[in-house]
Amino acid sequence: MRTPEAAALRTDRLDLLPLRPADAEEMALVLADPALHAFTGGEPDTLDALRARYRRLGAGSPDPGVTWGNWILRLRADGRATGYVQATVTADTAEIAWVVGVPWQGRGLAGEAARALVAWLRTQGVRTVVAHIHPGHEASAAVARAAGLSPTGEVQDGEVRWEAELS
């Protein structure tokens, strides 16, 4: 498998654009609602912490065998940031995650973005896609199903491993 570089992706309603440190200010507002941490714990990052995280992500993984891909979700209708998707790729396996800000939840945007991400990962030679989801997080389970993943029954750190084999 070749090492994927995050490319701009497009869906019916979204542009998935590679994350840049300059996105931190707008994303701090998108990610500010404490409700986003109901299943994952923690609290929203400060603007400075988010800027620092985006700089680290932009620099790439310190492990040459691991590639990080991070995309900001922007509504094509108005260009507003609504969330993000990410993939950590090791060999031919990608672990993915998604977050959509509270004002944009319930519209199918996370599922749309996750499907686009999985389709792109397939073109990059990824054979297995994994996500870890809290067992009570029905919305994330629906996103995983929409992206073609199924629960495995394996639990790690209190989260269920979901998986899809790509061909």
Side-chain angles (χ1 to χ4, degrees), residues 24 29 42 51-52 65 76 91-92 109 121 167:
L29 298 172
R51 281 185 181 131
R76 190 157 325 109
D92 62 356
L109 297 175
L121 288 165
S167 34

Side-chain angles (χ1 to χ4, degrees), residues 49-109:
L50 196 58
R51 281 185 181 131
R53 178 166 22 129
Y54 284 9
R55 281 193 299 275
R56 284 190 308 276
L57 291 173
S61 171
D63 181 341
V66 176
T67 302
W68 295 337
N70 296 277
W71 293 261
I72 299 298
L73 310 180
R74 290 196 176 276
L75 284 176
R76 190 157 325 109
D78 62 12
R80 292 181 69 185
T82 61
Y84 66 86
V85 293
Q86 61 188 39
T88 300
V89 181
T90 306
D92 62 356
T93 300
E95 183 156 347
I96 65 172
W98 49 84
V99 173
V100 169
V102 172
W104 300 278
Q105 291 179 1
R107 301 180 192 181
L109 297 175

Side-chain angles (χ1 to χ4, degrees), residues 1-166:
M1 187 200 115
R2 66 183 186 265
T3 301
E5 289 187 30
L9 307 174
R10 188 175 178 103
T11 70
D12 287 342
R13 298 177 291 166
L14 296 168
D15 288 318
L16 285 67
L17 302 174
L19 175 138
R20 302 167 303 130
D23 294 317
E25 189 166 343
E26 185 177 10
M27 287 302 294
L29 298 172
V30 172
L31 303 174
D33 194 319
L36 291 175
H37 299 272
F39 292 99
T40 59
E43 57 189 45
D45 282 333
T46 65
L47 177 55
D48 287 341
L50 196 58
R51 281 185 181 131
R53 178 166 22 129
Y54 284 9
R55 281 193 299 275
R56 284 190 308 276
L57 291 173
S61 171
D63 181 341
V66 176
T67 302
W68 295 337
N70 296 277
W71 293 261
I72 299 298
L73 310 180
R74 290 196 176 276
L75 284 176
R76 190 157 325 109
D78 62 12
R80 292 181 69 185
T82 61
Y84 66 86
V85 293
Q86 61 188 39
T88 300
V89 181
T90 306
D92 62 356
T93 300
E95 183 156 347
I96 65 172
W98 49 84
V99 173
V100 169
V102 172
W104 300 278
Q105 291 179 1
R107 301 180 192 181
L109 297 175
E112 188 173 321
R115 282 190 303 276
L117 178 57
V118 169
W120 179 78
L121 288 165
R122 178 180 286 118
T123 71
Q124 301 302 302
V126 169
R127 299 178 59 106
T128 305
V129 175
V130 174
H132 289 90
I133 301 171
H134 187 283
H137 200 322
E138 290 301 319
S140 269
V143 171
R145 276 190 217 89
L149 283 74
S150 300
T152 65
E154 180 182 328
V155 177
Q156 181 180 357
D157 295 328
E159 294 183 323
V160 176
R161 178 183 171 102
W162 288 65
E163 194 171 295
E165 294 297 327
L166 308 180

